[in-house]
């Protein structure tokens, strides 16, 4: 950062608040004292906990100032009526003062991966900005905007939702010049009720699209026509572009090949062909690459330049990363950690990518897919076919919904099941052998990410001769 992010005077002007003393924010904007860096602005949000309880700790950690709604001790602060409203106003002020080209990304699956791909491309061409992790909700979007330096040239914002009416206001905050939907699938059905309702909500990414902006849609999606029509209602001057395998797609996938660890993807964007190599496996990654190249090529760089910047991309933790872990008795196995989240579409894609990898055995540890609503049972049972098609040699199932899948699997397929991910530990660590491939996937709330972390710790301890199989759990084998 070449200049101060905010001064107390800036914050007062943007939020209508009053500063107790002048200060300058030389770092970023933080809502968590555990990750706060010296020079940050600490924002005392009230969510699961009241951030005002941590203001003094923030100052001890080096916060330059705080954004609060009541008097605090320990350092200078700007006091406002409502902290979240003030953070939103600060984010909008950051957008207005910056000349950045802004891209908004949403979708039922793949949005974080596409966001990360665009962040990588944009960073290659000058000052850039993006969401940390998946900060895409009612506080994540304004927080990301408020963190955006004035000199930013390109920025990408992931925008998510759980219930109706969440995406439009976030789109209006960001005011993207480029809006992108990765796909429409049965995720968050519990809050939305139907896939049609999901399509309606996701289309609201275009509610704040700047006049003449670019609308990017998945060419083979069942809701393409609806999304296109709705986008034009929201932004009549917008230009619709598509990505996918369709001959008519603006960004057309022309090739995919993999060696089981990396993938080479070729894409034709309006007659310009480019190739990208990424450290990920699965044909669904080709769609992510095509979407990212199409969006990035709208920001003043050629498709070839964008492809060169994207090559070498690897997924963020929990999004399909593959790593080799040692076993206590010698040898190793490959952990494919896709445990950040799951819905039926992403679960099928993960299983298909497992089939493209090589190993002695293909194993899958799967946790419940959450927020699917009344169709949850059917969606879990429907995974039996993709598991068989992937050539899976053994499954480990965690959670009550996955027990429905256990009953639908072929009788000869080895399986272990347990009430929770933690309870599955003993069966899993005892089953692993040299050369195995192990996919771990489930919704974030299912706890499957903890299982992946435990395997890493177990492997590290194995290398030091400090094995601990852990407590006995009630997992059963059937």
């Amino acid at each position: 950062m070449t200049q101060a992010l905010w001064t107390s005077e800036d914050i007062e002007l943007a939020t209508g608040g009053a500063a107790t003393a002048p200060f300058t924010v030389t770092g970023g904007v933080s809502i968590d004292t555990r990750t706060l860096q010296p020079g940050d602005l600490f924002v005392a949000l009230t969510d699961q906990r009241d951030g005002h309880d941590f203001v003094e700790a923030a100052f001890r950690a080096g916060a330059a100032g705080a954004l609060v709604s009541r008097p605090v001790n320990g350092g200078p602060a700007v006091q406002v009526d409502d902290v979240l409203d003030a953070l939103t106003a600060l984010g909008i002020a950051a957008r207005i003062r910056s000349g950045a080209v802004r891209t908004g990304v949403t979708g039922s699956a793949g949005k974080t991966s596409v966001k990360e791909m665009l962040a990588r491309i944009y960073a290659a061409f000058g000052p850039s900005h993006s969401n940390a992790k998946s900060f895409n909700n009612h506080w994540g979007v304004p927080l990301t905007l408020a963190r955006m330096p004035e000199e930013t040239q390109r920025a990408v914002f992931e925008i998510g939702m759980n219930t109706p009416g969440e995406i439009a206001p976030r789109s209006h905050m960001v005011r993207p010049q480029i809006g992108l939907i990765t796909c429409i699938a049965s995720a968050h059905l519990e809050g939305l009720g139907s896939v049609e309702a999901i399509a309606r909500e996701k289309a609201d990414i275009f509610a704040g699209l700047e006049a003449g902006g670019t609308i990017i849609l998945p060419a083979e999606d069942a809701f393409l026509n609806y999304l296109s029509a709705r986008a034009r209602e929201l932004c009549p001057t917008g230009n619709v572009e598509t990505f996918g395998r369709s001959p008519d797609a603006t960004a057309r996938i022309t090739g995919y090949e993999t060696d089981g660890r990396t993938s080479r993807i070729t894409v034709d964007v309006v007659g310009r062909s480019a190739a990208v190599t990424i450290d990920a496996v699965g044909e669904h990654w080709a769609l992510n690459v095509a979407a990212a190249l199409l969006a990035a090529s709208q920001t003043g760089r050629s498709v070839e330049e964008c492809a060169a910047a994207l090559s070498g991309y690897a997924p963020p933790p929990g999004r399909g990363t593959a790593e080799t872990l040692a076993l206590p008795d010698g040898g190793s196995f490959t952990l494919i950690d896709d445990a950040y989240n799951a819905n039926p579409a992403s679960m099928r894609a993960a299983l298909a990518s497992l089939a493209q990898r090589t190993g002695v055995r293909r194993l899958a540890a799967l946790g419940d897919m959450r927020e699917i609503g009344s169709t949850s049972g059917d969606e879990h049972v429907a995974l039996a076919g993709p598991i068989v098609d992937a050539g899976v040699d053994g499954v480990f199932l965690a959670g009550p919904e996955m027990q429905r899948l256990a009953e639908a699997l072929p009788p000869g397929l080895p399986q272990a099941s347990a009430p929770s991910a933690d309870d599955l530990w003993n069966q899993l660590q005892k089953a692993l052998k040299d050369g195995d491939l192990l996919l771990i996937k489930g919704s974030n709330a299912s706890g499957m990410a903890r299982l992946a972390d435990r395997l890493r710790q177990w492997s590290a301890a194995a290398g030091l001769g400090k094995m601990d199989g852990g407590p006995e759990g009630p997992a059963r084998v059937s």
Side-chain angles (χ1 to χ4, degrees):
M1 191 178 300
T2 60
Q3 61 189 50
L5 183 64
W6 296 105
T7 66
S8 53
E9 291 82 4
D10 294 332
I11 300 170
E12 285 180 305
L13 184 62
T15 67
T20 60
F23 63 87
T24 299
V25 178
T26 57
V29 180
S30 174
I31 59 171
D32 190 340
T33 56
R34 295 168 297 182
T35 56
L36 184 144
Q37 298 296 310
D40 284 358
L41 172 69
F42 179 69
V43 179
L45 285 178
T46 298
D47 195 52
Q48 295 178 341
R49 304 179 73 177
D50 188 345
H52 292 83
D53 296 339
F54 301 93
V55 171
E56 291 187 35
F59 285 124
R60 289 195 297 271
L67 186 62
V68 299
S69 61
R70 63 173 185 257
V72 295
N73 298 317
V78 173
Q79 187 169 331
V80 296
D81 292 335
D82 182 277
V83 174
L84 181 57
D85 288 347
L87 177 62
T88 299
L90 194 64
I92 292 171
R95 183 202 76 210
I96 291 170
R97 73 181 181 181
S98 171
V101 177
R102 300 175 301 278
T103 304
V105 179
T106 194
S108 299
K111 59 183 176 293
T112 299
S113 296
V114 172
K115 181 263 294 185
E116 292 289 335
M117 287 181 173
L118 285 170
R120 179 185 175 97
I121 297 170
Y122 290 171
F125 303 130
S128 63
H129 187 65
S130 64
N131 310 65
K133 300 179 181 178
S134 289
F135 286 3
N136 62 18
N137 62 0
H138 63 289
W139 54 259
V141 172
L143 176 65
T144 302
L145 277 167
R147 288 172 167 174
M148 184 169 66
E150 185 175 355
E151 64 267 27
T152 301
Q153 295 177 3
R154 294 172 178 82
V156 55
F157 299 86
E158 179 182 337
I159 300 178
M161 58 85 186
N162 290 303
T163 55
E166 295 186 57
I167 287 184
R170 295 168 200 169
S171 176
H172 284 295
M173 286 182 212
V174 173
R175 295 291 297 173
Q177 293 96 336
I178 303 163
L180 189 159
I181 295 177
T182 58
C183 69
I184 302 299
S186 52
H188 305 300
L189 279 176
E190 195 168 78
L192 277 296
S194 68
V195 181
E196 289 77 12
I198 292 170
R200 285 194 297 271
E201 181 67 18
K202 293 296 186 182
D204 279 351
I205 187 75
F206 306 114
L209 191 71
E210 294 277 13
T214 300
I215 297 160
I216 298 179
L217 301 173
E220 287 90 35
D221 198 282
F223 287 91
L224 173 63
N225 291 337
Y226 170 80
L227 294 174
S228 180
R230 178 64 177 149
R232 290 191 181 279
E233 287 179 14
L234 293 168
C235 184
T237 58
N239 181 41
V240 176
E241 309 286 359
T242 60
F243 66 93
R245 298 178 179 85
S246 168
D248 299 327
T250 312
R252 180 170 57 90
I253 300 163
T254 57
Y256 173 84
E257 56 187 26
T258 180
D259 59 7
R261 282 198 166 271
T262 63
S263 296
R264 187 177 187 274
I265 298 155
T266 53
V267 181
D268 181 290
V269 183
V270 196
R272 304 292 293 271
S273 183
V276 174
T277 299
I278 62 172
D279 293 337
V281 174
E283 294 200 31
H284 62 288
W285 285 104
L287 291 168
N288 294 339
V289 167
L293 289 181
L294 179 55
S297 68
Q298 306 296 307
T299 69
R301 291 288 181 164
S302 71
V303 173
E304 295 86 351
E305 289 175 314
C306 295
L310 182 55
S311 282
Y313 167 86
R319 300 284 185 173
T321 49
E323 54 198 293
T324 301
L325 299 180
L327 287 167
D329 296 327
S332 63
F333 70 99
T334 299
L335 170 64
I336 304 156
D337 182 0
D338 202 356
Y340 186 83
N341 220 330
N343 59 47
S346 67
M347 191 71 84
R348 289 191 294 271
L351 289 165
S353 67
L354 179 63
Q356 294 180 299
R357 295 181 181 269
T358 56
V360 176
R361 296 186 303 172
R362 296 186 183 95
L363 306 176
L366 309 177
D368 283 353
M369 300 180 290
R370 303 290 179 88
E371 299 181 8
I372 299 178
S374 61
T375 64
S376 180
D378 292 340
E379 293 286 8
H380 282 82
V381 168
L383 294 177
I387 286 172
V388 173
D389 292 343
V392 173
D393 298 295
V395 292
F396 302 82
L397 305 174
E401 292 300 294
M402 278 297 168
Q403 304 317 301
R404 300 171 185 256
L405 171 60
E407 296 167 3
L409 290 170
L413 180 63
Q415 61 171 279
S417 58
S420 71
D422 294 329
D423 294 328
L424 201 59
W425 167 249
N426 266 339
Q427 295 294 346
L428 182 58
Q429 55 98 7
K430 289 175 182 177
L432 286 168
K433 297 178 181 179
D434 183 34
D436 282 348
L437 296 170
L438 173 65
L439 167 69
I440 293 187
K441 189 165 182 64
S443 288
N444 194 36
S446 72
M448 297 302 285
R450 291 196 304 273
L451 198 57
D453 288 339
R454 193 168 181 180
L455 283 168
R456 293 185 184 96
Q457 296 163 4
W458 178 65
S459 177
L464 296 173
K466 298 178 180 178
M467 288 307 306
D468 178 9
E472 290 296 322
R476 61 181 173 84
V477 177
S478 57

